[in-house]
Amino acid sequence: MPPLAGKELRIVGFLCNWCSYGGADTAGVGRFAQPTDLRIIRVPCSGRIDPLFILRTFMNGADGVLVSGCHPRDCHYSEGNFYARRRLEILQRLMPYIGIEPERFAYTWVSASEGQRWQKVVQTFTNEVHAIGPIKPFGATPEQVEARLSKLLDSAGGKATEKQEVERVAS
Amino acid sequence: MKIGVFVCHCGSNIAGTVDTAQVAEAARALPGVAFATDTMYACSEPGQEGIIDAVKENELDGVVVASCTPRMHEATFRRTVERAGLNRYMFEMANIREHVSWIGKDMESNTNKAADLVAMAVAKLRENRLLFPKKFDINKRVMIIGGGVAGIQAALDCAEGGLEVVLVEKTTTIGGKMAKLDKTFPTVDCSSCILGPKMVDVAQHPNITLYAAAEVDDVSGYVGNFKVAIRRKQTYVDWNLCTGCGLCMEKCPSKKTPDPFNEFVGTTTAINIPFPQAIPKKASINAETCIMLRKGKCGKCAEVCPTEAIRFDQKEEIAHEEVGAIVAATGYDLFDHSIYTEYGGGRIRDVITSMQYERMLSASGPTGGHVKRPSNGEEPKSVVFIQCVGSRDKSVNRPYCSGFCCMYTAKQTILTKDHIPDSQSYVFYMDIRSPGKNYDEFTRRAMEEYGARYIRGRVAQVYEKGDKLIVRGADTLTGTSIEVEADLVVLAVGAESTRGASALAEKLRISYDTYGFYMESHPKLKPVETNTAGVFLAGCCQGPKDIPSSVGQGSAAASKVLTLFSKDQLESDPQISQVDIKRCIGCGKCISTCPFGAIKEIDFRGQPKAEVIETVCQGCGICTSTCPQGAIQLQHFTDNQILAEVMSLCPPLLEKSFE
Ligand code: SF4
Ligand code: SF4
């Protein structure tokens, strides 16, 4: 299902099972109302989150990605969130170079008891993403590809070598 | 693959704000889905039977249930699909209650979101593989950390249940805080008379190995097979020879040694047995005050010891034990009141803690059971008790109630009257919290029968005037300020987590709250379990508790251990990492990141490769996101599975544009 037009943006969450997923559950049990944009992917530990997952999520058009794990020193696997923090911090700093507004990505720590905190995190992050709006698609849009193709085809004028070149570009 | 999707109404919990029929309808269009329906209560008996029937009828290979959180019912439904003849890992859950219906009211967005979550679960399930748990043997021995009353109870119950018990106590004797108490509320029975026999039972039980003066140095392994290193501190006495006769104490010339057992009321000798009922009743030397150890001459104790047990050259040792379960019963410490400058900040000699007072009341204590003012040794006639010192006070980061101070203060006012009939007690309190059996009656007796005067209000200042103390405070019931002249002020200091609690928690891989108290697995339904399998909690390490609750929890923890050990084998969780040996380049990155040392290097036809030690891997997946080759994959959470979820939510743009 695509996000509801005009209402929602595509926000993906990666949450560790022990703390933050539990915190989101606690928020649910407490009926702490939240925006509906976020979809949560459950992983055992924030240390399981490969930054490439996040990049893939953005490349495929997500408008925001939120990561949450156990508070430092509280990791169920003792040090997973330290690995996560190092990786995510670097990713965070690389965001502008990749061409994505850094505000689209956030990572935080929420424990299983912090339902209210989770509500706040979701609220704030969703608002921030909405403030920037939908992400600009990566690479060329279908329209751009088409425009370039037809331009090349026009100028090529049917010459075999140039036709090959056009095909190369198109692929 | 043929997948069945079951969308639960959960009564109106889900169906109230999610159109479950529409979610099922949308699921039918997903690739791989052969069957989809909504169902009233998926977890109920008819609900589960419905799933089983559908699996059999439609020859399904996997099941998605969209309902509550997997943290609640994943195990339930895994058993259901197993009963239907499927592998229990061919199951996924979409959390459309906690994460959808309970946090939003908009039907359209909720239904859309629920359909998304179902699509995600289906996408993941398509990548699932059959996984099979392995059986492994359990070592039916248990280690109990802490020899207070909770630990003692757990140890005795386990030992009576036929288990071998290793009891580790950091001080030289078991007994904990309870051994220091004179009397206990609400019966005013003698603490050492009820605890003493239990301590003796520990010493004599053939199943209990006691390590006193020892601390847990390192814990490795997993439920059923923990390996523990225990650091035995040097006592400078060979405990195999020491008979506890106490001759050494009589002769020791270093008589100004601080006495922690007596809460530093009075002093003791450098070689010392803390109290007559100590278990084990063995002497140990305080290296800081022993003249022989500091200056190299003296050795009086060695001269008189009839069994020649003194060992000035003793070194600490590491002992190794293997156990299948661990009970943490490490207790609590008392709040340091010197932070409160208004109560004298630890400066005024006649302002003491409730535990110091307890030692004074005890017949075997440093004053022989005579209450005396520390300043001049006289009997106090007016005693002021101040409650909530380090409890329910945000300004000192102790917002919680310590639970037992109201009660022990009432007890101490009664004992004061017993010891000094012409005395008067005053109690400054915030609220009286006495919710236990016979507790409220007890505090009433303190007031009505023993004449303790209770003043509701905080104390603003305690100061010296001549040889008296003036306690100035507010009486909030009458709205006046009040001054009481006191000979002795007793501070009802609160409980806090024991020093070193967090360090031990990290060794045990259990979590603790902001104040250092250990977290139970579920606040209501799993009060003695932790999130680490095989590690249990008893007593005040989990939060302040009185003696009956500590004993109750000690027994509860023991029963959990006995239940765990009632099987001969446990099943391992197959959600662990696996190395694809063809992809592995032997770089060793995973080996150095694994927090559990669960990966070893092997030699494969002359090349280094990684191999996961199945029983040690905890399934965190840190290695998987570290491996540059994608060679080591955490089963059930592989790159492909997580990416399948990502792709389901965010389909690749280019594909989309060429559709
Ligand atoms: S998943 Fe990997 S890093 Fe985690 S415990 Fe297992 S082998 Fe170690
Ligand atoms: S990180 Fe990957 S490639 Fe390197 S040793 Fe471990 S499994 Fe092999």
Side-chain angles (χ1 to χ4, degrees), chain B residues 96-132:
Chain B
I96 62 167
R97 193 179 74 178
E98 280 82 350
H99 292 189
V100 182
S101 70
W102 276 352
I103 56 168
K105 291 209 161 44
D106 183 272
M107 191 79 150
E108 190 194 6
S109 351
N110 277 1
T111 306
N112 187 56
K113 181 172 177 182
D116 254 359
L117 297 187
V118 169
M120 248 171 76
V122 168
K124 176 167 183 230
L125 180 57
R126 281 206 304 270
E127 300 293 327
N128 282 14
R129 298 284 166 268
L130 312 189
L131 297 177
F132 299 94

Side-chain angles (χ1 to χ4, degrees), chain A residues 1 7 10 17-18 21 25 28 33-34 38-40 42 47-48 60 73 76-77 80 83 87 142, chain B residues 69 71 74 95 99 103 106 108 112-113 116 120 506 531 593 620 625-626 637 639 647 649-650 657:
Chain A
M1 282 320 105
K7 244 191 198 174
R10 178 55 90 214
N17 175 51
W18 300 97
Y21 196 91
D25 284 349
Q34 295 154 45
L38 176 73
R39 274 91 175 111
I40 294 170
R42 181 168 72 127
R48 172 67 189 93
N60 288 7
R73 292 184 63 219
H76 185 73
Y77 303 102
Y83 286 105
R87 290 169 184 154
Chain B
T69 169
R71 283 167 54 100
E74 191 171 53
N95 183 349
H99 292 189
I103 56 168
D106 183 272
E108 190 194 6
N112 187 56
K113 181 172 177 182
D116 254 359
M120 248 171 76
E506 281 154 29
N531 273 336
T593 46
C620 60
S625 38
T626 304
F637 290 96
D639 286 344
M647 300 293 183
L649 288 176
C650 310
S657 58

Side-chain angles (χ1 to χ4, degrees), chain B residues 514-645:
Chain B
T514 347
Y515 309 106
F517 291 113
Y518 295 160
M519 286 226 334
E520 62 281 11
S521 184
H522 188 282
K524 295 184 191 69
L525 302 178
K526 291 186 172 177
V528 295
E529 289 99 323
T530 66
N531 273 336
T532 301
V535 179
F536 303 95
L537 304 176
C540 288
C541 62
Q542 182 257 353
K545 253 174 226 76
D546 58 12
I547 294 168
S549 314
S550 296
V551 173
Q553 242 194 359
S555 286
S559 88
K560 286 288 164 193
V561 173
L562 287 162
T563 312
L564 178 72
F565 288 175
S566 62
K567 302 184 203 79
D568 291 325
Q569 288 194 313
L570 292 177
E571 275 191 350
S572 67
D573 187 345
Q575 301 178 75
I576 55 170
S577 279
Q578 249 175 35
V579 180
D580 178 350
I581 209 144
K582 295 190 293 302
R583 279 188 159 196
C584 174
I585 52 169
C587 65
K589 287 206 166 72
C590 55
I591 302 178
S592 59
T593 46
C594 176
F596 305 102
I599 310 170
K600 61 175 187 228
E601 191 184 294
I602 53 159
D603 181 87
F604 181 76
R605 299 190 189 136
Q607 282 177 357
K609 299 277 176 183
E611 188 178 273
V612 175
I613 311 165
E614 282 178 18
T615 46
V616 183
C617 174
Q618 304 285 312
C620 60
I622 299 172
C623 54
T624 310
S625 38
T626 304
C627 176
Q629 291 293 99
I632 186 165
Q633 289 287 331
L634 174 62
Q635 299 305 297
H636 213 63
F637 290 96
T638 61
D639 286 344
N640 286 344
Q641 286 172 309
I642 296 173
L643 285 172
E645 293 179 271

